[in-house]
Amino acid sequence: MLGAAAIGRWEEGAVLLVLFSLGHALEGYAMGRARRSIEALGELAPRTALVRRGAGAPVEAPVEELAVGDTVVVRPHTRVPADGIVAAGTSSVDQSPITGESVPADKIPVAAADRAAALAAPGAAGPQSRVYAGTVNGSGALDIAVTRLAGENTLARVVQLVRDAEERTSPTQRFTERFTKFFVPGVLVLVAVLLAVGALTGEPFADTFYRAMAVLVAASPCALAIATPAAVLSAVGRAARGGVLVKGGAPLAEFGRLRTIAFDKTGTLTEGRPRLTEIEPVHAAGREELLSTAVAAQRLGDHPLAQAVVRDGAGLLPLTATSGAAPSEAANLRALVGLGIVAELDGESVHIGSLAYADTLAGPPVPARLRDRTEELARTGRTTMLVRRGDRWLGTLGLMDAPRPEAAAAVAALRGLGVQRTVMLSGDDQRVADAVGRAIGMDEVRGGLLPEGKVTEVTRLRRTARTAMIGDGVNDAPAMAGATVGVAMGAAGSAVALETADIALMSDDLRRLPFITGLSRRASRIIRQNLWLSLGIVAVLVPATALGLGIGPAVLVHEGSTLVVVANALRLLRYAD
């Protein structure tokens, strides 16, 4: 502007000033909109909380004054002010601001005997008893025991990590920085050449100087500089609103180009606990007796398989019960490690265990059809339990760590988004892993792997393609660290996962994976569009101004391209879930 004024081109200087000011104001507004989508996360948590201390009525206090162990009263249809565990009351809580879950989660109190342990280690409480600051309570009142201070809760960590993500540059940002290191000196050399050529050809200095200034304006790489940061900021903000934490442009860009995804099995593709999946009585009419006998005997045990039989089997008994008599209770349980159990029920001995254990028992052998069915279930990855009462074989039960209901649909959706290879890595027996892999639709299954074995497999996969590793536990951390992108599931309850993963799914919902995959691919496309547009504009404007295009039109096209780039990036904020 000063140069234009110095040579008497006041109108050109005024146009330059107005257009640049207007362009930067609009650009600032647009970028501010992307940043506000992130800052809005920090406004979700209430500033005050109703605290119950002692026998008196609850008092309102700033959330910064809450201490671990304080009891907070959350009234119906209000936001939860702190991370904690449910001490009293039941309700449904909308956790979508943190986890992205579309359906409210039912919450129940943690058992009184487990409360001290849950306060010391919040992860020890089940997800049905954990709540997060910023979520919305439903129709029931809850008493919450605070487990984290206001500055350390899940929401505060998410907001801080999203802000920090701006500092982690993507490959395209690094390319832009390298490009400008050569581009800017090159433009200055071009300007010096133009001035020299004008002097040598006898052109009036004012015209030569004007042309040189026009080239400087046209070559200013504003659109190029903002092309990637605007898209990354918008994508990270949109992901955070959808329950996915992305640690900056680098993992976002890499995830957008993935072709291979490796999954841990237990707790990631499956629910992480055994379920009763098959009930096979010797005679069809004996289903009720088989279930009631197994539930009564296993109720005395504490093995995870016993708990699964009681939990799932007891829920099925009312559907088959034919009398109103009270259920019988077993006694004198003896556990035979690695084999099964023996107990007494209504004066009869009850044996429950593996086929190997059944073959050691005196009395009638396992019927041939029952043996065949038990072996068939074992081949499909089930853990089997044969049940005998007195001298009668009642049947067999099949249990397995069942796939998550949404797992198969999520894997199919990933394939539709361009993921070409899905691999399941498991420490379980290969037969068990194969059964789960077939049910979900995995391309490859690797069983019997220790943590170091998973690292070896991920390293092998990376030799052929960019690879993500999806896991949920500490034992998956080495494999996640060795992958192109490490993704942690259920990170809302894990401070370690939030800090160490490149991308963190705040809930255990596998449907977040297709969401972030589609968003990252859209972000990569928009970044490429922005780069080609900004480079193309510079490539056209620089020669045009060198050949005589005025400053006014150059500024108009220059600022217009910057606004187009930012507007294109902001489309990511409206990406559909």
Side-chain angles (χ1 to χ4, degrees), residues 20-37 226 230 233-234 559 562-563 566-567 569-570 573-574:
F20 256 105
S21 300
L22 179 61
H24 281 277
L26 292 173
E27 176 188 320
Y29 168 78
M31 290 297 290
R33 184 177 162 197
R35 287 193 172 90
R36 282 193 298 275
S37 72
I226 205 170
L233 186 64
S234 298
E559 287 302 299
T562 303
L563 293 177
V566 174
L570 289 180
L573 292 174
R574 299 193 301 273

Side-chain angles (χ1 to χ4, degrees), residues 488-554:
M489 270 190 62
S494 171
V496 175
L498 273 177
E499 296 294 339
T500 58
D502 298 309
I503 295 176
L505 311 184
M506 303 303 289
S507 70
D508 288 327
D509 187 354
L510 280 169
R511 289 172 293 190
R512 298 294 87 200
L513 266 180
F515 162 71
I516 188 58
T517 302
L519 177 62
S520 61
R521 277 162 161 65
R522 174 75 62 83
S524 294
R525 287 196 298 271
I526 284 179
I527 288 171
R528 287 195 297 270
Q529 292 166 6
N530 285 352
L531 287 176
W532 282 112
L533 176 64
S534 54
L535 287 172
I537 292 294
V538 169
V540 171
L541 275 185
V542 169
T545 49
L547 295 173
L549 183 68
I551 287 179

Side-chain angles (χ1 to χ4, degrees), residues 107-322:
K107 299 297 177 181
I108 59 175
V110 69
D114 300 332
R115 193 169 301 167
L119 285 173
Q128 72 277 8
S129 299
R130 292 197 303 262
V131 293
Y132 307 110
T135 56
V136 182
N137 186 24
S139 57
L142 297 174
D143 281 6
I144 305 298
V146 177
T147 56
R148 288 195 182 102
L149 302 179
E152 301 171 358
N153 64 39
T154 300
L155 182 62
R157 294 202 310 274
V158 168
V159 172
Q160 186 56 51
L161 289 168
V162 170
R163 287 173 179 157
D164 293 345
E166 279 194 78
E167 307 301 321
R168 298 182 63 181
T169 57
S170 69
T172 50
Q173 284 173 279
R174 292 193 289 272
F175 161 76
T176 302
E177 291 167 1
R178 290 195 303 270
F179 177 79
T180 53
K181 285 181 181 178
F182 298 98
F183 177 72
V184 172
V187 170
L188 295 178
V189 169
L190 174 61
V191 168
V193 169
L194 288 173
L195 290 172
V197 169
L200 292 174
T201 59
E203 183 182 38
F205 176 74
D207 293 342
T208 302
F209 186 63
Y210 178 86
R211 183 183 297 108
M213 285 191 301
V215 169
L216 282 176
V217 170
S220 177
C222 293
L224 181 63
I226 205 170
T228 301
V232 169
L233 186 64
S234 298
V236 168
R238 176 63 187 96
R241 292 208 322 268
V244 181
L245 176 62
V246 181
K247 302 284 194 66
L252 180 74
E254 293 291 357
F255 208 78
R257 293 184 288 177
L258 285 174
R259 291 293 178 266
T260 302
I261 297 183
F263 296 84
D264 172 54
K265 181 184 83 70
T266 304
T268 303
L269 291 171
T270 67
E271 296 177 345
R273 60 176 185 172
R275 286 195 173 276
L276 181 60
T277 55
E278 277 83 23
I279 303 164
E280 301 286 344
V282 172
H283 305 292
R287 176 185 169 92
E288 179 188 337
E289 185 181 12
L290 170 61
L291 268 178
S292 61
T293 300
V295 169
Q298 296 284 26
R299 202 183 295 277
L300 302 175
D302 58 1
H303 192 279
L305 293 176
Q307 294 172 357
V309 170
V310 174
R311 181 189 66 241
D312 299 339
L316 295 172
L317 275 174
L319 301 177
T320 58
T322 57

Side-chain angles (χ1 to χ4, degrees), residues 39-46 79-80 97-98 133-135 155:
E39 299 300 328
L41 292 172
E43 304 300 321
L44 292 175
R79 288 193 181 272
V80 177
I98 303 296
T135 56
L155 182 62

